[in-house]
Amino acid sequence: MNLHLSGMIPPVVSPLTPDHRPDIGAVERLTAHVRDGGASALFVLGSCGEGPTLEPGVASEITRAYVDAVAGSVPVLAGVGETSTERALRAGQDFEQIGVDALVLMAPMYFNADTDSAVIRHVTALAERTSLPLVVYNIPHLTHHPITPRALREIAAIDSVVALKESSGEWDTYAALADVAGAAGLRVFQGAEALIARSLAAGAHGAVPGIANVVPGLAARLVQAGLDGDTTLAAALQAQLDDVCAVYSSGFWLTSLKAALAELGIVGSTAGQALAPPDADGLNEVHRVLVAAGLVEVTA
């Protein structure tokens, strides 16, 4: 597989119109925003992209819009987060036809089966039914199926598996999986913003930070400093990124993120109907964080 991922890969949000249809203009604006900020690839339909919850037709339209907006300038990775292998196969084949460059596979999310064997069977089935490179995505607090070092060791032997995205937010979990991935020759990416500098210092190849939707330039500079081995600069940039991540505390993290992007005029604030938008105090906090980061002006 000739896909050598590295650098800052934003897990882009899925822009929706108020009636929950794909907002193609917003996809184009966000693509330009993160590309100008230094994104080395785009990850669509992850947690930030509401991939596991969007209506399948909407997910496909948004994926196609990102592929069209990127126009081959950087790879597009599509998240496959489903309750079963059967649904994941359908989604993966659909995204391959659309023209994505890789699939990012979460563990199946519903039945509490034996975790290791379920994950191994799941990834093996996807590898047999697609020609695309595969990124293994560990996010156990959402899937409730952790990808263990034992499972990853078997999965890593599959030729099409090229990388690991680890988003547990727990250093010991990250370090154990990164060791296995590194020994197998996989690329390793940190998905938890607070651990980016530390992970890069320990040998990660990049990061997939949701806050890069808002501050792609800052996230890209942090990743590059880490890759360059400039730990002093990386620590300073990590502190700045942590300050912007305060936007997540404004309410439910995803709707807060979309509220920040809406205030910046990039995408609308519409998210899944079950997800509560920030209240007035939350919106004030979003504004405060953006002002402190120098992204918007102080309002009277």
Side-chain angles (χ1 to χ4, degrees):
M1 292 288 171
N2 297 317
L3 183 66
H4 299 287
L5 299 169
S6 65
M8 193 281 288
I9 303 175
V12 287
V13 304
S14 291
L16 301 171
T17 63
D19 60 351
H20 294 88
R21 300 305 304 165
D23 187 337
I24 305 304
V27 167
E28 294 168 350
R29 290 192 298 274
L30 183 57
T31 298
H33 177 60
V34 297
R35 284 288 292 116
D36 291 347
S40 59
L42 270 64
F43 172 32
V44 305
L45 303 182
S47 304
C48 287
E50 302 174 69
T53 60
L54 290 176
E55 188 274 322
V58 171
S60 295
E61 288 183 55
I62 286 175
T63 302
R64 189 181 304 279
Y66 273 115
V67 169
D68 290 345
V70 164
S73 60
V74 295
V76 176
L77 287 57
V80 179
E82 295 286 350
T83 54
S84 69
T85 302
E86 290 77 9
R87 291 190 180 202
L89 287 168
R90 175 204 53 77
Q93 291 165 352
D94 183 29
F95 300 148
E96 182 169 12
Q97 291 179 353
I98 287 171
V100 304
D101 299 283
L103 301 177
V104 184
L105 305 185
M106 305 175 205
M109 299 179 184
Y110 191 77
F111 287 117
N112 188 22
D114 175 67
T115 297
D116 284 353
S117 62
V119 169
I120 292 165
R121 286 196 300 271
H122 184 72
V123 177
T124 300
L126 268 292
E128 291 173 347
R129 297 284 290 276
T130 178
S131 63
L132 292 175
L134 305 178
V135 177
V136 177
Y137 181 9
N138 188 47
I139 186 163
H141 53 284
L142 295 183
T143 64
H144 307 292
H145 271 188
I147 296 173
T148 67
R150 173 183 172 273
L152 182 61
R153 197 170 290 110
E154 290 202 35
I155 292 166
I158 299 171
D159 287 342
S160 56
V161 174
V162 299
L164 165 72
K165 178 182 185 285
E166 209 295 301
S167 296
S168 69
E170 298 177 356
W171 180 257
D172 289 347
T173 298
Y174 169 81
L177 289 172
D179 283 348
V180 172
L186 304 186
R187 313 291 278 182
V188 178
F189 293 84
Q190 177 59 261
E193 284 101 337
L195 297 176
I196 291 174
R198 185 177 181 184
S199 301
L200 293 165
H205 298 91
V208 189
I211 202 65
N213 284 274
V214 176
V215 283
L218 173 58
R221 292 193 300 275
L222 166 56
V223 171
Q224 190 59 54
L227 292 174
D228 291 342
D230 190 338
T231 55
T232 300
L233 178 57
L237 294 171
Q238 178 74 68
Q240 293 181 36
L241 195 76
D242 291 346
D243 288 342
V244 183
C245 285
V247 76
Y248 292 138
S249 66
S250 306
F252 181 67
W253 69 271
L254 179 55
T255 52
S256 296
L257 182 65
K258 280 194 163 181
L261 288 167
E263 183 163 352
L264 294 175
I266 300 171
V267 310
S269 61
T270 302
Q273 295 183 53
L275 305 180
D279 60 16
D281 289 341
L283 291 175
N284 287 336
E285 176 63 8
V286 168
H287 180 71
R288 184 200 66 77
V289 172
L290 296 180
V291 168
L295 300 173
V296 298
E297 296 181 357
V298 179
T299 54

